[in-house]
Amino acid sequence: MEVWNMQTLVLLAMVSSTLGVTTLIMAPVRSTGDEVGLIFVPGASIKGEAYQNTAAAIQQASQLRLWVALTGNYTFDTPNPLELPSAIQDAITKLSAAGMKGDNYVGVAHSLGGVFLAPYAKSSSLKAVVLLGSYLTKTNSLSNYPVPVMTLSGELDGQARITRIAVEYEHLLQLVQNSTDAVYRKPVINLKGVSHAQFASGPMPPQVVKYDLKPDVNESVAHALIGSQISNFLTVTFNSPAAAVAAAKIELENSFKDAGLRFQPLLDVRNVDTNGTTSSVWSVYLQDVIAGDLASRTQITNTIEATTEFILSKPDIHKNGNDVTIKTTTHIEYATNAMDISTIPESPAEVDIKFKSYDAIQQALSQSSLFDHTTTCRDLNQLAVSIALIKSTDQARSRYTSRGRPIILQDDVLVSTGLEWVNGHLKLTEDDAGLHVQSVALNVPITSPIFPGNFYCKVLSPYRAMEWINVDSLRAHKPTTD
């Protein structure tokens, strides 16, 4: 989904007076039933009529008497906050003129259209919102959203990536703890094998072609899945037809559980980095790996630090009876994403960890060993990849091994000072061959007079590996920068 700046909006204001948003009306396919009007808002650079097949699938699936208004011809063929209010009002006027009775209007928006529709709908005449390959951005929380909202995502959506929608699913899980009705009022659903483009039809704009993934199902199947899910949501939202509400609720519950089969593994691995706390489970595990055959005699703690505090921190080791206590520190870096753009990875760009080396542990325990236990940062990266593969679904693993670009681990860049290490970064280089990963390592000998036995690594996050396996690896080429 694209970013809009003030300059763009000013230009829109200048040209929108000469161009008019259009509305295409689709009459109901049923002669009876309570009437509901679906008002579609397209994605960026997608024509309104590209949603005719999607709308028809919803009409066929629903027992309601559904009217449809497909808005289009926005300036530059892109929905925007300046034209959206008049477009919605024009759709309502034309639905009424065509014969629709009542005021049960639902906004259905794809991609960037959903980004703009969601804030507008909070204080509008719309009774509900359906987001297709879109989501409530961080300024619009799911918990506080005032009208029913369905977030309908595709497993193989390369723009509104599954890892971004997993965040919304986690928010829903929190809401469900307080009220099971959240499953019906604010469902977050994931459609197996469906891509971003399949929420519409026909040729897609370059932005979608660049980022989207190859679907596992054809368009007819995708539209049938979309139609069924939205039909259930509408039935429960409008409590009509009454005889179908109970079954629709069961279907939404089942879809919620099914979505969890794909969302939950991602959330589980994401939580390995931080688990929502001030310590990193992954860092503790890796220090345990470094300890090797001495791991049973170590007690490890970890603290996640902000940049300055992390730079000043040092790992610590001291004897504790027959064991040793090791204190490690971690700093986690993410890509800047103030605009909540879904093509930017959700996972960390790197995880920086300050460990104690195996030699330091051995010395602290006064323990001799028959093992030559040397661990590299590359070894730790291999563990991240292994965890990501194990935790991915069978289908995701199969896609990755059959058509995904692999993760290629390279030997560490070895530095000799802490300053060099701090100024270095985990190197993630994407090309048509795959994702090349190279760590920066500092391994201070125990004979050093300064910081003996400190072992520093900038490593690959298991979640970044999993996000690559499930999303980015499935593109044949690296998306080019515009």
Side-chain angles (χ1 to χ4, degrees), residues 305-359:
E305 302 280 12
T307 303
T308 301
E309 291 77 9
F310 179 72
I311 291 172
L312 297 174
S313 72
K314 297 291 182 292
D316 178 68
I317 185 169
H318 64 271
K319 195 78 178 293
N320 183 12
N322 292 324
D323 299 332
V324 292
T325 297
I326 304 172
K327 294 181 179 180
T328 62
T329 59
T330 299
H331 177 67
I332 303 176
E333 286 195 12
Y334 294 87
T336 302
N337 190 11
M339 299 295 292
D340 197 7
I341 301 169
S342 61
T343 52
I344 296 175
E346 282 289 311
S347 54
E350 67 182 50
V351 180
D352 304 346
I353 315 172
K354 295 184 175 181
F355 302 109
K356 295 303 288 189
S357 69
Y358 178 82
D359 289 344

Side-chain angles (χ1 to χ4, degrees), residues 29 79 126-127 169 197 218 264 285 294 312 335:
V29 298
L126 299 177
K127 300 288 182 66
Y169 185 81
N218 63 35
Q264 196 60 54
Y285 172 73
L294 304 177
L312 297 174

